[in-house]
Amino acid sequence: MDLATLIGILASFGLVGYAILTGDGASTFLNGPSLVIVVGGTLGATLVCFPMKTVFGVIGVVRKALFFRGLDNQKIIGSLESLAKRARKEGLLSLQGAGSEIPDAFYSTGLQLVVDGQEADTIESILATEIEYVEARHSVGALLMKTMGTFAPAFGMIGTVIGLIQMLQTMNDPSSIGPSMAVALVTTFYGALLANVLFLPMVTKLEQRSNQEVEQKNLIMEGLLSIHAGDNPRILVQKLSAFVPPSKRAGEAA
Amino acid sequence: MDLATLIGILASFGLVGYAILTGDGASTFLNGPSLVIVVGGTLGATLVCFPMKTVFGVIGVVRKALFFRGLDNQKIIGSLESLAKRARKEGLLSLQGAGSEIPDAFYSTGLQLVVDGQEADTIESILATEIEYVEARHSVGALLMKTMGTFAPAFGMIGTVIGLIQMLQTMNDPSSIGPSMAVALVTTFYGALLANVLFLPMVTKLEQRSNQEVEQKNLIMEGLLSIHAGDNPRILVQKLSAFVPPSKRAGEAA
Amino acid sequence: MDLATLIGILASFGLVGYAILTGDGASTFLNGPSLVIVVGGTLGATLVCFPMKTVFGVIGVVRKALFFRGLDNQKIIGSLESLAKRARKEGLLSLQGAGSEIPDAFYSTGLQLVVDGQEADTIESILATEIEYVEARHSVGALLMKTMGTFAPAFGMIGTVIGLIQMLQTMNDPSSIGPSMAVALVTTFYGALLANVLFLPMVTKLEQRSNQEVEQKNLIMEGLLSIHAGDNPRILVQKLSAFVPPSKRAGEAA
Amino acid sequence: MDLATLIGILASFGLVGYAILTGDGASTFLNGPSLVIVVGGTLGATLVCFPMKTVFGVIGVVRKALFFRGLDNQKIIGSLESLAKRARKEGLLSLQGAGSEIPDAFYSTGLQLVVDGQEADTIESILATEIEYVEARHSVGALLMKTMGTFAPAFGMIGTVIGLIQMLQTMNDPSSIGPSMAVALVTTFYGALLANVLFLPMVTKLEQRSNQEVEQKNLIMEGLLSIHAGDNPRILVQKLSAFVPPSKRAGEAA
Amino acid sequence: MDLATLIGILASFGLVGYAILTGDGASTFLNGPSLVIVVGGTLGATLVCFPMKTVFGVIGVVRKALFFRGLDNQKIIGSLESLAKRARKEGLLSLQGAGSEIPDAFYSTGLQLVVDGQEADTIESILATEIEYVEARHSVGALLMKTMGTFAPAFGMIGTVIGLIQMLQTMNDPSSIGPSMAVALVTTFYGALLANVLFLPMVTKLEQRSNQEVEQKNLIMEGLLSIHAGDNPRILVQKLSAFVPPSKRAGEAA
C-alpha cells in the first residue's frame, strides 16, 4: 500500500484511540447497538442507492486504488519515443510485435490499432471512449464512498436523536442523565469517525487515482496519435513534456 | 425488486426500529401530529414546486426504477454485431424486418431510421434528442426526490422549534420538561429518517438508473451509426467495447 | 392557479397552523417585532442585491408562473406539421398569413422570419438569443427567490441570537427564562417557515416553469427550422417526438 | 446610489438596531473586543487570500457598482441602428468621426476597429477578450466579498467558542454565567450581521452588475459585427431585440 | 512575502491570541492532547487522500505561492511588441537568440517553437497543454489545502464529542463540569482556527496565484501566436490590451 495511506490510517485511528483510552469512561465508546445503527443504517441506505453489481465492483476499484502501483509517466514517454523513432525509420508495420512487450492493456490495444492502419479519427474515438469508461467506473466508486460518508454522520445523528428522546422521556433519575446522554452521543461519534477517517478520505483518494490514470491514458493516446501522424520524435517528446513536472523532464532539445 | 434495494430498505428501517423497541419510551416515537407535520409539510412544499402532472409522472419513474430489469449491454453488442454482419453481406435493406424482434423501442425505432436510408446526421439528431429527453425525465424524478429529502428535515426542524416554543412558554412543571422536549424532538427524528432512509437514497438510485439507461441508449446509437456507416463488424465491436467492464468483453481480435 | 400549487400552499400553512393552535402558548407565535425583523431584514438584504427594476420584474415573473396556462406541446407539433405540409405543397410564401392565427409571439415571429426568406443561420441565431433571454429572465426570478430563502433563516437566526443575548444579560428571574427563550426562538421559526413554505418552493417552481417554456420554444425553433429546410413532414414529426412523453406520441409511421 | 440599495441597507441595519434598542441589555451589543475579533479576523484572513493590489482594485469595483449609472440598452440599440443606416448609405468609412460622440470606451474602441476595416474574426476576438476581462475583474470582487461573508461568521463562531471556554473554565459565580454567555454570543451576532447585511448582499449585487455590464457589451459587440457584415438595419434591430424585455421593444416590423 | 499575506497572518493570529490572553483561563487554550488530535487527525486523513509525492509537491507549490514575485503583464506586452516589430522587419529567424535573454521558461520555450517554424496548431497545442498542466498542479495544491480545511474542524468536532462523552459518563462532581466542557471545546477551537486562519485562506490564495499565472501564460501564448501569424504590432498590442486593467494600458493608437 502507498506509504502515505498506511501512515494516514494508522495515525487517524491511533490518535483517536489514544484520546479515548487515556480519558475516562473508555468503555462507553465500545457500544454494540450504536455501532450496529450507524454501520447497518449506512450500508442499508447505500444498498438502496446502488445495484449489488455496482457495490461489488467498487470493492475491486478500492482494492486497486489502495494497492496498485502504476507505470511512471516518464518511462512511458521514453517507450513512445523509441516506438516513434522505429516507426519513422522502418514504417508503422515494424511496430507489429511491440505490443506483446507492453504490460498495459490500453497501451498495447491502442498500438495495435495504429499498426492495423486505422484512421486517426477511429483510433482517437475508440481510445477516448475507453478513457471515459475508466473515468466513469472510478467516478461510481468515489460516489459510493461519498454516499457512505454522507449517510454515516446522518445515521449517527438519527441514533443520537433516538437516544435523546429515550432519555428525555424517562428522565426520572438525575444521576442517569449524564451516562444516558453519553451513550446517545456515541452514535454521533461513530458516524463522524467513519466518515472522516475512512469514507471521505477514500473519496479524494479515488478521485486522485482516477485523475492519475486518466492523465496517463491521455498521455498514451497523445503519443500513439503522434506516432500515427508521423511526427518527428522530438516534437512528440515536446508535446508530451507537459505530462511530467518540469524538474523531471528529459532535456528539451530543439 | 433489485436484491440490494430490498435488503437496504429492510436493514435501515429494521435497525432503527430495533433501536427504538429495545429502548425506553418506545411509544413516544409513534406520534400522529408529528408525522402529519413532517409528511404533510413535505408533500405540501413539494406540490408547490412541481405541477400535478410531474408528480404523477414521477410515481411511474420511481416504479420503473425499483422494478425494471433492463437488457444486458453485452447482449445488445451481440445483437448489433449480427445486424452489422448481415448488413455488410446483404445490404441495409435486409435489416427491414429485424426491428420487430427487438423488444426495446429506442433500438427498433433507430434501426428503422437506418433501414429507411436517413442521413447519418438526421439519425444522430433524432436519437440524441430522445436520449436527452430520457435524461430529463429521470432528472425531474431525482430532483423531486431531492426536494422531498430537503424539505423533510426542514419541516422536522420547524416542528421541533414549534414544540420547543410551546414547551418553553409554559414551563411550569419541571417534571414535564423532559417528555415535552422528547416529543418536540420526534419531528426532527421523522424528518431525518424519511430523508436518509427513503428520499436521498432514491435520488442516487434514480441517477444511477438514468446513467445506466443513457449509457445503454448511447451504446445502441453508436452501434446503429456504425452499421449505417458500413463499418467492419470487428471495428464496431471494438468501438463498443468500452461500454462493458474489461472482464466481460468478448475477445478483441484485431 | 395550478391545482398542485394551491393544495401545496394550503397544506403547508394549514398543518403548521394546526400544530400551533392545538398546542400551548399559541399567542407566542404571533409576535410583531419578530416578524418585522425577519421580513424586514430579508427584504432589506434582498433590495441591496437587486435593482428596483429587477425586483418589480420578478413580481411579473412570479405571477405568470403561478397563473399562466401554456400551450400543449402536442398541439404545437400538430400545428407545425400542417404548416410543413402546406409549405411542401405550396411553397414557403403560402404561410404568409398563418402567423396571425398563432397566439404565441415567439412562434409567430419565428414563422415570419421563415416566410421572409431569412438564412437558416440568422433565424436560428435570432430565436436562440430570444430563448437565452427568456431563460435569463426566469433565472433572475429564481435567484431572487433563492436569495430571500437564504436570508430569511439567516435573519431568523440573527433575531434569535439577539433575543438570547438580551435574555442572558438580564437573567434575574428564573421563571422568565422559558418565555424569553420561547420568544427568542420565534424568529427562527418565522425564518424557517417563510423559507420552506414560500421562497424555496418558488425557486423550484420558477426553474420548472423556465424549463418547460425553454423546452417549448426549442420545440418551436426546431420545427420552424425543419419547415425552412423543406424536411418531409414525417421527419419533422419524428424529430420533434422526443419533446413529448412516449405515451402521448402520435403514431410514428416510417 | 440605486434607490433599492439605499433602502435595503437602511432597512436591515435599522430593524436590527430597533430590535436591540427596544430590548434589554442593549449595551452588551456594543463590545469593542468582540468587534475587533470579528472585523480584524475577517480582514486578516481575507488579506492572506488576495494580494494588496486586488484588495484595492475591489474598492473601485464596489464603488462603481454602488454608484454607477449605466447606459440604457434601448438607447444603445437606437444608436447602433442609426450607425447601420449611415453605413449602408455612405459606407463604413463614413462612421469615422462617430466614435468621438460615444461616451462608452468599449463602444468607441469597437467602432474604430470596424471603421479601420479589421477582419470580423479579429474584431470579435478583441472585443470578446475585453468582455472576458471585465467579467474576471467583477468576478474577483464578488469572490472577495464572498470570502469576507464566509470568514465573518467563522470568526464570530471562533470568538464565541473562546468566550465559552473562558466562561466554563472559571464558572464559579452562577450569577455571572448568563452575562458571560451573552458576551460570548456577541461575536456570533457581529459575524452573522456583517455577513448577511453587508458582504453576502454585495456578492449578489456585484454579480448582477457584472451580468448587466457583460450583457450590454455583448449587445454592442453583436451590433458592431452586424454593421460590419452590412446587415439590413431591420435585421440588426431584430437580432438585438432579445436584449430588451418584450414590453420595451420598438416595433418589430418585418 | 506579499505584504498583504504577512499582515493577514499576523493580524488573525494576533487578534485571537489577544482575545485569549486578556481573558480568563488562558492556560486552557494550550492543550497538548487536543492539538495532537486535531493536527494529527487532519494530517492522517489528508495522507490517506494523497500520495506522498503529491504532499511533497504541494509544499513547493505553497512556497512558490507565498514568495514568488512574478513578471508584470505590462512588461511582457512590451517585450512581445518589440519582438513583433523585429520579426516584421527582419523575419522570424532574427528572433533566434532572443530566447536566452528571457527569464521565463514558458516564454523562451514558446519563442523557440516559433523561430523553429513549427505549425501554429502545434505551437498552440504544446503551449496550451503546458498551461493545463500548470493549472492542474496548482489545483491539486488548492485541493489539498481545502481537504485539510475540511478535516481540521471535523476532527475538532470529533475531539469535542469524545470529551463530552467522557465528561457525561463520569459526571459526579458538579464543579468539574465547567472545566471539563471547556477542555472538550478546545479541539473545536483548534479545528476552526487552523481552518479559517491557515488552510482556507491558502486555498483562495493558491487559486488566485494559479489564475494569475495561467492568465500570464495565456497572454504570452496569444502574443507568440500573433507574432507567428505576422500580425501588425499594433494589432498585437490591441489583442493583448484586455490582459491589463484599463488604467494601465499603453495608448491604444489605431
Side-chain angles (χ1 to χ4, degrees), chain C residues 111-129:
Chain C
L111 183 59
Q112 195 58 48
L113 287 170
V114 172
V115 168
D116 282 352
Q118 295 295 342
E119 301 266 331
D121 277 349
T122 305
I123 299 176
E124 188 168 1
S125 164
I126 293 177
L127 295 182
T129 311

Side-chain angles (χ1 to χ4, degrees), chain C residues 118-191:
Chain C
Q118 295 295 342
E119 301 266 331
D121 277 349
T122 305
I123 299 176
E124 188 168 1
S125 164
I126 293 177
L127 295 182
T129 311
E130 176 65 31
I131 294 177
E132 274 179 41
Y133 180 83
V134 166
E135 255 189 304
R137 241 187 332 143
H138 276 271
S139 167
V140 164
L143 179 65
L144 189 134
M145 284 292 146
K146 193 168 184 177
T147 304
M148 293 184 89
T150 309
F151 281 127
F155 278 94
M157 195 204 97
I158 288 180
T160 296
V161 171
I162 292 178
L164 281 178
I165 293 177
Q166 293 174 329
M167 180 208 89
L168 289 165
Q169 191 56 261
T170 61
M171 207 167 72
N172 299 319
D173 175 19
S175 68
S176 73
I177 290 179
S180 300
M181 278 191 74
V183 168
L185 278 176
V186 169
T187 50
T188 293
F189 168 70
Y190 284 147

Side-chain angles (χ1 to χ4, degrees), chain D residues 5 20 29 55 86 95 102 111 123 243:
Chain D
T5 312
I20 294 176
F29 288 90
V55 176
R86 201 175 357 156
L95 303 178
I102 295 168
L111 183 59
I123 299 176
F243 286 95

Side-chain angles (χ1 to χ4, degrees), chain E residues 32-129:
Chain E
S34 298
L35 195 65
V36 163
I37 290 179
V38 174
V39 173
T42 302
L43 283 178
T46 306
L47 281 174
V48 175
C49 298
F50 301 96
M52 274 296 203
K53 220 171 46 172
T54 309
V55 177
F56 287 136
V58 167
I59 295 175
V61 168
V62 169
R63 200 174 30 108
K64 207 165 154 224
L66 285 178
F67 297 105
F68 186 77
R69 200 157 295 283
L71 295 162
D72 186 55
N73 278 1
Q74 197 58 37
K75 288 205 175 68
I76 291 178
I77 292 180
S79 162
L80 288 161
E81 194 188 1
S82 36
L83 288 179
K85 286 178 175 164
R86 204 179 348 161
R88 266 173 84 89
K89 245 193 315 194
E90 308 168 26
L92 283 179
L93 279 172
S94 68
L95 304 178
Q96 178 61 36
S100 53
E101 301 156 30
I102 294 169
D104 183 273
F106 179 82
Y107 192 166
S108 53
T109 305
L111 183 60
Q112 196 58 47
L113 288 170
V114 171
V115 167
D116 283 351
Q118 295 297 340
E119 301 266 331
D121 277 350
T122 307
I123 299 177
E124 187 167 1
S125 164
I126 292 176
L127 294 184
T129 310

